[in-house]
Amino acid sequence: MTETLTLPQVIEPTIFELSSPGRTGVTFPEPDVPRSDLPAELLRADLPLPELAEVDVIRHFMHLSHLNYSVDGGFYPLGSCTMKYNPKINEDMARLPGFLFTHPLQPIETVQGSLALMYTLQEWLKEISGMAAVSLQPAAGAHGELTGVLIMRAYHRDRGDHRRTKMLIPDSAHGTNPASSGMVGLQVVQIPSDSRGNVDLNALKAQCDETVVGLMLTNPNTLGLFDEHLEEVIRTVHECGGLVYGDGANLNALVGVMRPGDIGFDILHFNLHKTFSTPHGGGGPGSGPVGVAAHLADYLPSPIVGIIEEGTDDLAPLFGFIHPPRSIGRVKAFHGHFGVLVRAYTYIAMHGAEGLRAVAENAVLNANYLRARLQDTYHIPYNRVCMHEFVAEGRFPGSDVRALDISKRLMDYDFHPPTNYFPLIVHEALMIEPTETESKRTLDAFADAMLRIAEEARTQPELLHEAPHRTPVGRVDEVKAARDLVLCCWFPENQ
Ligand SMILES: *Cc1c(COP(=O)(O)O)cnc(C)c1O
């Protein structure tokens, strides 16, 4: 690996630099409407457009796409994100013309198949989670949180209970939890973790009073640990009149094994792009359906898909939209990210109940295997049997190597780095989530690289400080990048 140090940094040419006057990649068809001149003020003679042949364009973007790291390209142990492989059959199903070419304003009689799929997905998510009703509208986990907090607020207000303004959130929580509570105007109260990584029960009890809206709880939490007093935590919050919101981002560890609804969660979001293998997509659509217990079903975002005319022996039921009576309203245009719903439906249908349980079991097994291989070399502060991920410290006694250095060096070994510096309660955190889709061979290759990097940290720390060495862009100055943003695309005059 060391010899790669001498490789020069590759500077990728931009499409403008590849441009050559007179080359062209398109032939326009003869217009089938009369020609007319555009207003002169709409035409910009100084607009630099690159001139390239089709092959130049294809090679340029093909090449750039190969520079991207992806789940299809390699191991992606980004903790909390559940970067599992996205089966290609999901894509085939989402591209079926009957799904692809529907319009959300079509009469419901013409989109019964799509509505049946949404209805079935709602039913499956209810079955998987133990919740009583589900809305597919929210566009992501964070959006599901916002939806859930709005439901909690509406529920308390409806009961004439106007004193409740406090949302309790453990210190291991994802940043979206306090953010979504803050957006609804609630006061966020942080609950510390105890020495075993659980919610600190005494701290929780001290905060539970008649001003509590509820608790937002991620279980297993972002340390990858199942709360050892889960039932007592939930009971404590309920006893003071609060509701318990489950951040379902870590459902991959539980699916088919334990149902949050059965143990008392009042609300839960699902991240379809985590647990149910839909793409995280370079900024593209995710999906964060929300499930609620029976006493909150009337508050779900409207509309949800329901049966509006029961079927008979000869006739299929008629699916349509129903409007929960106390709905908090619409949280998304139309009906959520339908293409993503088709992918999640396909994933669940392909696995079945047994298959989903195997997903959770293997996700937990893989994480514990990696934990066991790394625990003698990397300090793991809350080291007990983990669920689908674990958090190690990226630092060594007497060394100035940091988690960031280890992560950057991993890129030289062709691995995506784990999540860094989160959760905040672990110093130099490296949060590692392998998922069930990885083979033992991949897990071993990753563990070998991690052990080798620990050795390099001792013998050649500069190798880590200067990493990555094999990527088109080397170590970026993150402070400068944040302070001195260049968001505009390349134009000759910006050079
Ligand atoms: C991913 C994640 C979220 C937010 O979900 P998005 O779908 O990314 O909006 C919230 N909490 C935890 C613990 C997460 O891992």
Side-chain angles (χ1 to χ4, degrees):
M1 206 51 69
T2 345
E3 67 276 16
T4 58
L5 262 175
T6 57
L7 275 183
Q9 291 267 301
V10 188
I11 307 294
E12 298 298 320
T14 67
I15 197 130
F16 292 93
E17 289 165 313
L18 294 172
S19 173
S20 154
R23 299 205 84 181
T24 172
V26 282
T27 320
F28 289 107
E30 278 304 308
D32 56 0
V33 290
R35 277 176 195 277
S36 71
D37 289 329
L38 281 172
E41 61 272 23
L42 289 184
L43 298 172
R44 282 187 287 164
D46 60 343
L47 188 65
L49 290 176
E51 295 173 72
L52 298 109
E54 181 177 307
V55 63
D56 301 328
V57 176
I58 292 293
R59 289 202 178 138
H60 177 69
F61 286 108
M62 196 66 184
H63 178 65
L64 287 186
S65 77
H66 287 167
L67 296 178
N68 262 342
Y69 199 89
S70 62
V71 174
D72 286 352
F75 183 47
Y76 213 128
L78 194 65
S80 213
C81 295
T82 313
M83 303 297 289
K84 63 170 74 181
Y85 175 68
N86 304 157
K88 296 304 165 238
I89 190 169
N90 293 354
E91 302 302 314
D92 294 343
M93 294 306 110
R95 281 170 182 71
L96 288 177
F99 292 136
L100 199 55
F101 298 120
T102 48
H103 189 281
L105 291 179
Q106 267 176 249
I108 56 165
E109 294 75 19
T110 66
V111 289
Q112 284 296 300
S114 298
L115 294 180
L117 180 138
M118 292 170 77
Y119 179 83
T120 310
L121 182 58
Q122 288 170 191
E123 292 299 304
W124 284 348
L125 293 177
K126 281 157 62 176
E127 175 67 26
I128 286 167
S129 63
M131 308 309 289
V134 165
S135 160
L136 301 174
Q137 270 185 32
H143 194 195
E145 292 169 27
L146 179 69
T147 304
V149 178
L150 287 169
I151 290 173
M152 291 161 99
R153 190 180 64 169
Y155 171 80
H156 290 308
R157 282 192 177 169
D158 256 15
R159 292 160 52 251
D161 195 345
H162 297 285
R163 291 165 304 177
R164 298 187 182 268
T165 52
K166 261 186 355 194
M167 185 67 87
L168 311 181
I169 301 185
D171 58 1
S172 58
H174 194 267
T176 51
N177 290 187
S180 49
S181 303
M183 279 180 80
V184 179
L186 302 180
Q187 181 205 347
V188 173
V189 176
Q190 182 169 303
I191 307 293
S193 305
D194 68 16
S195 61
R196 289 181 58 78
N198 301 308
V199 171
D200 186 311
L201 270 175
N202 291 329
L204 178 71
K205 284 177 180 159
Q207 287 295 341
C208 277
D209 57 25
E210 71 291 341
T211 67
V212 166
V213 173
L215 168 76
M216 280 188 121
L217 187 66
T218 312
N219 185 69
N221 64 18
T222 62
L223 296 166
L225 300 176
F226 196 99
D227 198 291
E228 293 168 304
H229 318 116
L230 183 59
E231 287 177 294
E232 194 172 352
V233 167
I234 292 175
R235 196 178 336 116
T236 304
V237 175
H238 283 164
E239 273 169 10
C240 76
L243 297 169
V244 180
Y245 181 95
D247 176 333
N250 294 341
L251 191 65
N252 210 47
L254 305 180
V255 67
V257 179
M258 179 233 174
R259 307 197 316 161
D262 293 344
I263 201 166
F265 281 92
D266 300 286
I267 312 183
L268 179 83
H269 78 245
F270 308 82
N271 305 64
L272 299 188
H273 44 283
K274 294 181 182 170
T275 315
F276 299 104
S277 85
T278 72
H280 287 65
S287 182
V290 165
V292 292
H295 54 284
L296 298 174
D298 287 350
Y299 295 92
L300 278 181
S302 174
I304 56 178
V305 180
I307 294 177
I308 55 174
E309 243 176 68
E310 288 297 337
T312 64
D313 286 349
D314 316 314
L315 214 58
L318 183 68
F319 295 98
F321 295 109
I322 55 177
H323 301 274
R326 294 175 183 280
S327 172
I328 58 162
R330 193 180 261 294
V331 298
K332 183 84 181 74
F334 298 117
H335 310 296
H337 288 145
F338 178 71
V340 179
L341 306 180
V342 177
R343 290 170 174 86
Y345 173 99
T346 305
Y347 181 79
I348 297 173
M350 293 297 292
H351 278 80
E354 306 257 301
L356 286 182
R357 187 184 172 96
V359 163
E361 288 171 348
N362 288 318
V364 171
L365 180 64
N366 279 0
N368 279 289
Y369 179 72
L370 271 186
R371 186 178 62 85
R373 280 214 55 192
L374 298 182
Q375 65 183 357
D376 295 337
T377 310
Y378 288 86
H379 181 235
I380 298 176
Y382 300 89
N383 198 12
R384 56 181 166 95
V385 171
C386 67
M387 294 289 109
H388 62 306
E389 62 191 356
F390 63 97
V391 183
E393 283 186 1
R395 59 176 183 176
F396 307 101
S399 161
D400 62 354
V401 161
R402 309 179 58 211
L404 187 71
D405 301 319
I406 295 168
S407 286
K408 297 292 184 195
R409 184 62 178 151
L410 268 171
M411 297 165 78
D412 288 335
Y413 288 93
D414 286 331
F415 292 112
H416 194 283
T419 296
N420 275 216
Y421 301 113
F422 174 72
L424 304 176
I425 55 176
V426 173
H427 296 290
E428 298 294 325
L430 290 172
M431 183 194 216
I432 301 172
E433 178 182 8
T435 88
E436 74 288 353
T437 58
E438 298 305 327
S439 64
K440 180 165 179 296
R441 177 200 290 249
T442 302
L443 300 180
D444 280 327
F446 176 75
D448 291 344
M450 286 292 285
L451 298 180
R452 188 159 163 187
I453 289 170
E455 177 65 21
E456 288 172 351
R458 209 170 48 78
T459 55
Q460 293 169 278
E462 70 290 348
L463 206 52
L464 276 71
H465 292 315
E466 287 158 21
H469 304 282
R470 297 175 60 228
T471 49
V473 176
R475 181 76 68 106
V476 292
D477 180 338
E478 298 193 354
V479 176
K480 184 170 162 50
R483 290 258 163 96
D484 193 8
L485 280 183
V486 182
L487 295 176
C488 168
C489 62
W490 188 90
F491 279 118
E493 62 267 27
N494 289 349
Q495 287 298 291

